[in-house]
Amino acid sequence: MLAFDPSSVFLSTYLLAQEEAEAVAEGGFDIVTLLNQALNGVGIVGILLLTGLGLAITFGVMRIINLAHGEFIMLGAYVTFVFQDAFGMDLLMTIPFAFLVTAIIGAVVELTIIRRLYGNPLETLLATWGLSIVLQGVVKLIFTAQLKYVKAPPYLSGNLPLLSDDAGGALISISYYRMFIIAVALALLGLTMYLFYKTSWGRQIRAVTQNRDMAKCLGVNTKLVDMGTFAYGCGLAGVAGAVISALKTVAPPMGQDYLVDAWMVVVTGGVDKLIGVLAGSLLIGEANAVIAFILNDPTARVIVLAAVIVLIRYRPEGLFTIQKRS
Amino acid sequence: MANAVMGYKQSSFPTKLAAISGIALLIFIILPFVFGDFQLSLMSKLLLFGSLGISLDLVWGFTGILSFAHGVFFTLGGYASAYYLKLNLSADSNTYGGELPDFMVWNGLETLPWFIAPLKYFPVALVATVAVPALFAYILGYFIFRSKVSGVYITIITLAISSALTTFFVSQQAYTGGTNGITDVSKLSFLGSPIPPIGLYFIILAFTVFVLALSWWLTQSNLGLILRSINENEKRIAFLGYDVAQFKIFIWTLSAALAGMAGGLFVPLNQFISPVYLAVAFGTQVVIWVAIGGRGTLVGPLLAAILLGQVQNYAEKVTQDWQLVIGILLLVVVLFIPNGLMSLLPKQLSLANLSKPKVLQTSDAVKN
């Protein structure tokens, strides 16, 4: 069931959580389980934030419908696998390489495909879908369809007990790796916001998205900005892939699992401000955790997706966007 | 199948097109007698996929709504038909001898759920294969099109729906058979005797001709003209006093009904249905047929589905990386042949002419 489900990110993390919960609190429906579930929701929020951030750049800022986003995550995971496999590198050390490699591939993609299709969202959507199939195919050709495993660094394994019972067993705990994911996600969000709102490069990007022709007249190299921004968004996806690679097995179709979720996060949060991604992932991750606690996981996913559809219907610009006159 | 095309073209190129469509239909009629069992069932399947492509072309090629949910409509029709066939298994071929399908027994159901039970009867099942997807599409369409949601967001909604329904069908094991879907169904029979594969092929061929003819007739009618105008300039059509949403809902529902019928015919042929056909990947496959065949050409998606299916059949004996080929093909088509492979045909043979609004011709006349 898990292998089949196209977006099993919630499920897989939940099953883990349920095992934890069952092992920890045998009482079942009590405050401890609820707290564990909420903490687990935080873990999902981290993954959602990480995977959604890159998309918030490519779709939110550049308005590129990038259906190959999941494949850039997959590429990042493979970069980590290769570096760990070949040089025995620590997962943390591979993150910059994952960023660089996926950013370069992103730049090439922008140069050869995306650039021809600006102002044509549906064509871009189709082309990036073709690209996603091609990337999966090429990776499968190189690495075969076999599942690959990436090791998490030893100092990030284990759980941090927050509350212990009388016997000293942990009642409420959060795994270090989950905390690490959230830390990386928040750090990347902060870095990206700094880049966008405090540097001249960010100013140029915002200028180009607001008024391309005017920016051009004022001497901004719009083509370079486009390429750089898209490459940066892809690089972020690569980092997400590198970090996630230790949680799940690495395989060519893995990116598909994150695509729909990343889209839901970005659409929910709204594309006006980068901080919307955080809001979107918080809302979706925690809603999912709470509903899954009350009912069950697949139902939670269906309800959350349905809620997002209703949201798009009434507020296509996202929840956290200030209404503008058009 | 191309007969329908002939009707319109008769005035301009009667002999040529009559010949081509006649030959095309003849080939499809002779085909089953030439090929073996495997090709027969493959061609039946590809004709159904082609019909599904045509139904998507109605909403995407003509009205400009890109949907990844057509696999969903197809599968809903498929499940309706699968329940019918499953419930009509003779008692001795049912694993547990009883009336209850095997997967329900495994999952601890004691009685047949009330919403599945009526599907035992053929008329109910027949109506359901069309009505269930159509009703679902109508509700969805009413919800989406009567709002300011546009273009890309609609596509994202269809992606979400496909993803949500897949999860739902997989999770409701007792009612849907979970990941495996509904397998080991009985053969479709007529007056008590099972229909042979060749009979099924001709039913499917007739269905394909029906879908093509209906779609062609629709797109040539005034309705088709309005749909194309919506694609070109939605605002202007709204200003002219047309209720754009109503037209969109209509064509969306009709298209879903056609997709559901195709799905209903798919199950007797394929002998099973599973959430694989609900998933985004299959919905994408349909989009790829239309994109490669040529949007707004009707025949294009059908030919693309048949061509790609046949090539895939042979290519998969040589290479495991057929999907890579499809991906490259899709990229090449989007970047360099935006109107699809049909646009590469000589103009006289191309159906693409037909999709040009008649308005264009009158404005040309005015210019002259």
Side-chain angles (χ1 to χ4, degrees):
Chain A
M1 175 171 143
L2 281 181
F4 170 74
D5 186 2
S7 336
S8 52
V9 48
F10 293 135
L11 289 181
S12 57
T13 345
Y14 268 120
L15 289 181
L16 245 171
Q18 277 174 356
E19 283 163 24
E20 278 174 25
E22 276 160 26
V24 171
E26 277 149 3
F29 202 95
D30 61 320
I31 189 74
V32 173
T33 332
L34 183 66
L35 276 173
N36 265 321
Q37 193 75 348
L39 274 180
N40 185 56
V42 174
I44 299 175
V45 170
I47 296 177
L48 288 176
L49 181 57
L50 209 52
T51 50
L53 194 57
L55 201 65
I57 308 286
T58 47
F59 176 65
V61 178
M62 299 184 73
R63 295 298 167 144
I64 296 169
I65 314 295
N66 185 9
L67 289 190
H69 182 71
E71 275 57 46
F72 284 100
I73 297 176
M74 180 265 291
L75 286 175
Y78 267 95
V79 172
T80 299
F81 166 74
V82 167
F83 276 87
Q84 199 171 66
D85 199 47
F87 309 112
M89 264 190 189
D90 192 294
L91 186 134
L92 254 65
M93 299 295 294
T94 65
I95 289 179
F97 294 102
F99 178 84
L100 267 181
V101 173
T102 45
I104 289 168
I105 295 172
V108 173
V109 165
E110 202 276 344
L111 213 59
T112 51
I113 298 171
I114 311 283
R115 179 159 294 182
R116 298 157 176 271
L117 301 169
Y118 279 123
N120 218 336
L122 283 183
E123 304 290 318
T124 316
L125 188 150
L126 272 182
T128 50
W129 191 271
L131 177 71
S132 102
I133 300 172
V134 170
L135 287 178
Q136 280 186 45
V138 170
V139 168
K140 198 177 141 203
L141 215 57
I142 300 172
F143 296 98
T144 73
Q146 221 182 344
L147 301 177
K148 310 282 185 200
Y149 297 91
V150 171
K151 281 191 290 292
Y155 48 88
L156 284 178
S157 62
N159 293 309
L160 174 73
L162 295 178
L163 190 72
S164 300
D165 60 10
D166 304 332
L171 274 180
I172 300 175
S173 63
I174 182 164
S175 82
Y176 286 114
Y177 203 80
R178 214 164 272 169
M179 285 163 65
F180 166 66
I181 288 180
I182 296 163
V184 172
L186 286 176
L188 281 180
L189 179 66
L191 178 71
T192 308
M193 284 176 73
Y194 173 77
L195 281 174
F196 266 64
Y197 299 115
K198 298 287 179 200
T199 64
S200 83
W201 180 59
R203 214 163 14 249
Q204 288 189 2
I205 294 170
R206 282 180 292 136
V208 170
T209 47
Q210 271 172 25
N211 193 334
R212 179 171 293 269
D213 292 337
M214 199 48 163
K216 221 180 211 164
C217 289
L218 294 172
V220 175
N221 187 345
T222 53
K223 288 192 167 167
L224 194 67
V225 168
D226 285 337
M227 197 174 83
T229 318
F230 189 77
Y232 181 71
C234 293
L236 287 182
V239 175
V243 173
I244 290 168
S245 65
L247 274 186
K248 292 184 82 181
T249 49
V250 179
M254 69 179 281
Q256 297 287 310
D257 295 354
Y258 300 101
L259 180 72
V260 173
D261 296 330
W263 268 101
M264 294 308 128
V265 164
V266 173
V267 168
T268 307
V271 292
D272 206 27
K273 294 263 187 294
L274 275 174
I275 198 80
V277 196
L278 181 62
S281 35
L282 264 174
L283 202 68
I284 291 192
E286 285 300 332
N288 206 83
V290 170
I291 301 172
F293 176 70
I294 300 166
L295 299 164
N296 56 53
D297 301 314
T299 316
R301 182 169 170 73
V302 172
I303 291 176
V304 168
L305 278 176
V308 173
I309 292 169
V310 174
L311 176 78
I312 299 177
R313 159 71 169 77
Y314 290 102
R315 277 190 74 100
E317 68 280 359
L319 267 189
F320 305 97
T321 303
I322 301 141
Q323 201 98 38
K324 278 179 288 200
R325 285 179 206 217
S326 53
Chain B
M1 58 191 309
N3 270 346
V5 176
M6 191 174 78
Y8 175 75
K9 276 288 181 178
Q10 224 146 25
S11 51
S12 38
F13 310 96
T15 44
K16 220 178 192 174
L17 264 133
I20 290 169
S21 44
I23 290 169
L25 191 58
L26 207 63
I27 288 174
F28 278 103
I29 291 174
I30 294 174
L31 218 71
F33 300 104
V34 181
F35 285 130
D37 286 347
F38 176 75
Q39 265 298 333
L40 187 65
S41 89
L42 180 65
M43 277 309 287
S44 310
K45 189 167 104 177
L46 296 181
L47 282 174
L48 282 179
F49 285 171
S51 308
L52 180 58
I54 296 171
S55 79
L56 176 63
D57 198 17
L58 278 178
V59 291
W60 184 24
F62 286 92
T63 325
I65 307 159
L66 174 52
S67 155
F68 280 89
H70 267 61
V72 169
F73 303 138
F74 179 84
T75 316
L76 286 179
Y79 268 94
S81 138
Y83 284 124
Y84 165 71
L85 293 174
K86 188 82 186 169
L87 294 175
N88 280 281
L89 269 180
S90 52
D92 50 315
S93 50
N94 194 340
T95 327
Y96 296 98
E99 201 189 47
L100 212 55
D102 44 13
F103 62 87
M104 293 186 183
V105 178
W106 295 329
N107 288 289
L109 280 194
E110 310 250 300
T111 51
L112 209 53
W114 59 268
F115 52 90
I116 292 173
L119 288 171
K120 190 177 177 25
Y121 306 102
F122 184 72
V124 180
L126 191 66
V127 170
T129 51
V130 187
V132 172
L135 191 68
F136 180 63
Y138 178 78
I139 295 168
L140 201 65
Y142 193 86
F143 183 69
I144 301 175
F145 297 127
R146 292 223 175 268
S147 75
K148 54 185 174 172
V149 179
S150 63
V152 173
Y153 282 100
I154 292 177
T155 308
I156 294 173
I157 288 182
T158 62
L159 273 176
I161 282 169
S162 170
S163 178
L165 273 184
T166 311
T167 312
F168 182 73
F169 269 66
V170 169
S171 71
Q172 299 298 314
Q173 261 192 38
Y175 303 103
T176 63
T179 314
N180 294 330
I182 299 175
T183 52
D184 300 325
V185 297
S186 62
K187 288 203 161 39
L188 191 65
S189 51
F190 180 69
L191 297 178
S193 56
I195 297 175
I198 195 158
L200 204 55
Y201 173 84
F202 279 112
I203 294 175
I204 290 170
L205 183 62
F207 169 73
T208 311
V209 172
F210 162 73
V211 171
L212 194 60
L214 178 75
S215 309
W216 178 82
W217 173 73
L218 266 179
T219 51
Q220 293 307 306
S221 67
N222 281 341
L223 175 83
L225 202 60
I226 293 170
L227 294 179
R228 282 195 298 253
S229 324
I230 290 174
N231 191 12
E232 297 280 324
N233 192 334
E234 189 173 329
K235 277 211 178 96
R236 180 173 290 185
I237 293 304
F239 286 144
L240 284 173
Y242 290 100
D243 185 355
V244 172
Q246 204 166 7
F247 284 102
K248 282 185 176 173
I249 295 169
F250 172 75
I251 198 72
W252 174 255
T253 310
L254 181 82
S255 161
L258 292 178
M261 280 189 206
L265 282 170
F266 180 64
V267 177
L269 180 75
N270 201 35
Q271 293 291 303
F272 82 95
I273 190 84
S274 80
V276 168
Y277 297 98
L278 278 174
V280 178
F282 184 67
T284 313
Q285 202 67 49
V286 187
V287 171
I288 287 173
W289 293 324
V290 181
I292 289 179
R295 275 160 269 178
T297 61
L298 295 182
V299 176
L302 178 63
L303 292 183
I306 293 175
L307 210 67
L308 288 178
Q310 288 289 355
V311 176
Q312 178 176 14
N313 175 34
Y314 290 104
E316 279 190 337
K317 290 173 185 159
V318 190
T319 166
Q320 289 294 302
D321 297 292
W322 167 250
Q323 279 302 317
L324 180 59
V325 180
I326 288 280
I328 293 171
L329 196 58
L330 181 61
L331 264 180
V332 168
V333 165
V334 174
L335 289 176
F336 304 109
I337 326 167
N339 292 321
L341 293 180
M342 284 300 280
S343 65
L344 297 180
L345 290 177
K347 273 274 154 24
Q348 292 90 326
L349 302 179
S350 164
L351 263 185
N353 302 351
L354 292 178
S355 66
K356 294 228 175 72
K358 283 172 194 163
V359 192
L360 269 185
Q361 289 158 11
T362 43
S363 67
D364 284 347
V366 170
K367 247 184 257 166
N368 295 336

